[in-house]
Amino acid sequence: MSDDQTFHTLQAELIATALSALKKNTGVTAQAAALEETNNSSHRIDAAITLQTAGQSFDYQVKCKSVVDRKSTLAHIKAQLEAIASPGLLISSYLSAEMAEHCRSIALEFIDTVGNAYLSRPGLHVFVKGQTGSNAQFNTRAERGSNNPTAMRMIFTLLCQPEAVTASYREIAAQAGIALGTVGTNFLDLSKRGFLIYAGQKSARRLLEPSQLRSEWVINYPIILRPKLKARQFRAPDPDWWKALKPDGVDMAWGGEVAAQKLINDLKPATQTLYLAKEQMAAGVHDLVKQHRLRPDPEGPIQILEKFWQFAPLATSETPPGIAPPLLVYADLLASRDPRNAEVAKMIKEKYLNHAQN
């Protein structure tokens, strides 16, 4: 399956289901629903359809958006459709009564897959809201979206490597350490939730609202992804053991307080969080135990986890090598729930994350 075949297939399903519901509820039929890959005023048009009723025909240029639960998303779609010469139509999986009312208030015509609709043209007046039937296939795909470890690995890669958003699916899968077949599903979910412009050409992809996506990732990390990293805890007789640690070709990176100390130099690490490549975990832990006399302790301050990213963060004078990406360091500090880490986390966010370009 090509990079965008999955997306186009789901578009076709979404349009067909919505048009079927429209016909069932109102009698309005569709003559055609042709998927297109055209751009008008820099905005991609997903389809061209012709609605028919009472002997009249009404042409529309379509934007598809499976999940719409924010008025800001509707405003964004409205602006895109206003940029084209032809009348525009939003096709969505489901719009709540509140979202339907808002569409009418801003004159945004729409139909959804459960029969809700707002159509307002001379000779065509339809307004249906409050239909609550669900389309299980779209809802299931959405639930499999960002709330799973695989999606979180990919989102992390896109947030830390902004240029990766326009890379091939194969390159993204390699950098995120995920299966190739999951990339398209994850892109589709980001697009549904308003975090991605997901056009037909990979060069047109662009993340939207990256700061909000970062915040979501940080909240979800200790709940969804971190428990899957097979953490092992230890204690060392020398609390400063970490200062003498030399990677010597091992694929590892400091997170948490040690990384914060190296990035900000304003924290004495009481805990040490180390990310070690999965394929090197057994040998790496064995060497650490031997060299630094670590001993297993479920309450110990040393935590060794599987390194879940495959890309190499760019080392600069501000981000030395051997450090996890600042986004992960920030998430580690907040996940510790240690009040002394809160201020340092804030400093890392202000220095490394607030001005990140995506």
Side-chain angles (χ1 to χ4, degrees), residues 243-319:
K243 295 181 179 179
L245 179 62
K246 301 185 186 309
D248 293 331
V250 178
D251 185 4
M252 54 149 282
W254 287 111
E257 295 181 18
V258 172
Q261 191 275 338
K262 293 178 179 291
L263 291 173
I264 300 295
N265 196 28
D266 193 35
L267 180 70
K268 183 177 181 180
T271 65
Q272 298 88 47
T273 302
L274 185 65
Y275 292 90
L276 192 59
K278 180 179 180 179
E279 61 274 11
Q280 298 179 351
M281 179 65 77
V285 169
H286 178 270
D287 289 344
L288 289 171
V289 169
K290 182 177 180 180
Q291 293 176 17
H292 302 282
R293 294 187 293 163
L294 306 187
R295 64 179 186 276
D297 184 342
E299 303 297 327
I302 303 166
Q303 193 165 55
I304 303 176
L305 307 99
E306 288 184 357
K307 180 173 172 285
F308 61 89
W309 66 98
Q310 305 299 320
F311 60 86
L314 181 63
T316 68
S317 58
E318 294 184 339
T319 56

Side-chain angles (χ1 to χ4, degrees), residues 12-265:
E13 293 176 5
L14 183 67
I15 292 170
T17 305
L19 291 176
S20 176
L22 179 68
K23 180 180 179 180
K24 179 180 178 180
N25 278 17
T26 68
V28 176
T29 60
Q31 183 184 50
L35 289 179
E36 298 184 340
E37 292 187 15
T38 59
N39 288 278
N40 291 294
S41 302
S42 301
H43 297 308
R44 183 178 184 274
I45 301 305
D46 297 320
I49 69 172
T50 300
L51 300 182
Q52 295 180 320
T53 184
Q56 298 186 67
S57 297
F58 304 87
D59 295 329
Y60 285 96
Q61 300 292 305
V62 172
K63 291 291 292 184
C64 294
K65 189 75 172 176
S66 184
V67 177
V68 177
D69 55 9
R70 290 179 294 177
K71 292 180 180 179
S72 60
T73 302
L74 293 175
H76 180 69
I77 294 170
K78 170 72 172 176
Q80 288 183 319
L81 291 173
E82 286 182 338
I84 63 178
S86 302
L89 179 71
L90 164 65
I91 296 185
S92 177
S93 177
Y94 169 70
L95 265 72
S96 67
E98 180 185 4
M99 292 295 103
E101 283 284 3
H102 188 66
C103 282
R104 184 166 68 165
S105 71
I106 64 174
L108 173 59
E109 295 181 79
F110 82 91
I111 62 175
D112 71 14
T113 63
V114 299
N116 297 302
Y118 170 64
L119 301 170
S120 183
R121 300 268 296 277
L124 177 63
H125 298 285
V126 173
F127 184 50
V128 180
K129 67 174 183 177
Q131 299 293 311
T132 58
S134 63
N135 185 311
Q137 69 176 343
F138 291 109
N139 291 340
T140 299
R141 286 184 178 112
E143 289 167 4
R144 289 203 305 261
S146 63
N147 293 326
N148 69 75
T150 297
M152 290 202 66
R153 289 170 184 253
M154 178 169 150
I155 292 170
F156 181 74
T157 298
L158 299 180
L159 290 172
C160 295
Q161 304 282 106
E163 68 279 4
V165 74
T166 57
S168 70
Y169 280 21
R170 191 171 300 280
E171 291 170 326
I172 293 169
Q175 290 188 31
I178 61 177
L180 178 61
T182 64
V183 176
T185 301
N186 293 333
F187 266 142
L188 180 61
D189 176 68
L190 289 172
S191 177
K192 289 177 182 177
R193 298 191 297 121
F195 287 119
L196 180 76
I197 293 177
Y198 187 28
Q201 299 297 319
K202 65 182 182 180
S203 60
R205 296 185 207 128
R206 182 165 64 87
L207 283 182
L208 303 172
E209 303 185 50
S211 61
Q212 182 179 339
L213 189 58
R214 276 193 292 268
S215 296
E216 178 184 286
W217 192 91
V218 169
I219 292 170
N220 287 336
Y221 170 66
I223 304 168
I224 296 172
L225 180 54
R226 207 172 200 270
K228 301 296 184 180
L229 302 181
K230 300 180 180 178
R232 309 175 190 195
Q233 288 188 253
F234 300 87
R235 188 178 298 276
D238 179 6
D240 292 328
W241 71 276
W242 56 273
K243 295 181 179 179
L245 179 62
K246 301 185 186 309
D248 293 331
V250 178
D251 185 4
M252 54 149 282
W254 287 111
E257 295 181 18
V258 172
Q261 191 275 338
K262 293 178 179 291
L263 291 173
I264 300 295
N265 196 28

Side-chain angles (χ1 to χ4, degrees), residues 214-215 217-219 221-222 226 256-257 327-349 353:
R214 276 193 292 268
S215 296
W217 192 91
V218 169
I219 292 170
Y221 170 66
R226 207 172 200 270
E257 295 181 18
L327 175 59
L328 179 55
V329 179
Y330 175 67
D332 276 337
L333 293 175
L334 293 185
S336 73
R337 299 187 180 277
D338 187 336
R340 72 192 183 91
N341 288 340
E343 188 60 32
V344 177
K346 180 180 178 181
M347 294 168 64
I348 288 176
K349 183 174 185 287
L353 302 180

